[in-house]
Amino acid sequence: MLRFLLLFVFALPIHTGTALAKKPSKQETRRDQKEHADLGERADIYWRSVRWADAPSASVFIENPNDRILFHQWLKTQGNTQKITEAKVLHVNVSKEIRKPKDGRIRTARVTVSIEGYKLTEQVLKEQTLTQDWYRTEAGWFVDWTPPPPPKP
């Protein structure tokens, strides 16, 4: 009976230990850190460009060429009605690399940004925090931007 009990006690950790997740390699960890830093820099550039209504610089983060044209128009319209006085990237959360992506998106990410600004008619400074989705392809990081609906007549 004692032999059976000792065998059971020593065998138990072997069965439960197989459920543990594989620790990422140093190379994977470095690659993840690089992607995180790279997206943080790109998000800063994007929001600096949006703040100053620099459509050519901001639109490089819009992958679809047709959406890029709409983005230019949208940013110009936004600049006519409101001004951003400050935009700061607060947090970047990058997913693990997708080995065989179906849509070409190697990674996805969420960027949290604090925006301060005012509408030209009100002149009241307001602060807003928003979360923005980004994705990575072989060509680089892009904002998951959807054109707004056309204005109502």
Side-chain angles (χ1 to χ4, degrees):
M1 176 73 174
L2 184 58
R3 276 184 170 162
F4 176 72
L5 186 57
L6 287 174
L7 180 61
F8 178 75
V9 170
F10 288 116
L12 187 60
I14 294 170
H15 294 295
T16 58
T18 58
L20 296 176
K22 182 184 140 194
K23 185 178 176 183
S25 69
K26 286 183 181 179
Q27 184 180 15
E28 288 173 320
T29 302
R30 270 182 273 161
R31 192 168 41 239
D32 289 347
Q33 290 170 344
K34 182 187 175 304
E35 289 291 347
H36 187 274
D38 188 40
L39 175 57
E41 290 173 18
R42 301 206 183 287
D44 280 337
I45 293 168
Y46 170 81
W47 280 104
R48 193 175 324 119
S49 300
V50 169
R51 177 183 177 208
W52 296 107
D54 183 359
S57 295
S59 67
V60 298
F61 299 103
I62 309 296
E63 184 178 29
N64 183 313
N66 294 328
D67 286 348
R68 202 173 289 149
I69 293 167
L70 294 172
F71 179 83
H72 274 258
Q73 295 169 343
W74 172 81
L75 190 56
K76 183 178 179 184
T77 302
Q78 293 297 307
N80 292 337
T81 60
Q82 63 187 13
K83 297 293 180 197
I84 296 174
T85 58
E86 187 69 41
K88 182 179 180 183
V89 175
L90 300 174
H91 182 71
V92 175
N93 186 10
V94 180
S95 73
K96 295 290 180 192
E97 186 173 349
I98 301 165
R99 299 277 183 223
K100 296 180 182 178
K102 294 177 182 148
D103 57 0
R105 295 181 179 196
I106 300 168
R107 290 181 188 260
T108 58
R110 283 234 149 132
V111 176
T112 304
V113 183
S114 174
I115 301 169
E116 194 175 89
Y118 58 91
K119 291 187 179 187
L120 294 177
T121 56
E122 296 174 13
Q123 299 288 320
V124 177
L125 194 63
K126 294 183 181 177
E127 189 174 329
Q128 175 185 8
T129 301
L130 63 90
T131 302
Q132 187 178 47
D133 292 327
W134 286 66
Y135 62 92
R136 172 102 161 78
T137 66
E138 291 292 331
W141 282 103
F142 296 100
V143 177
D144 198 355
W145 188 79
T146 304
K152 295 178 182 175

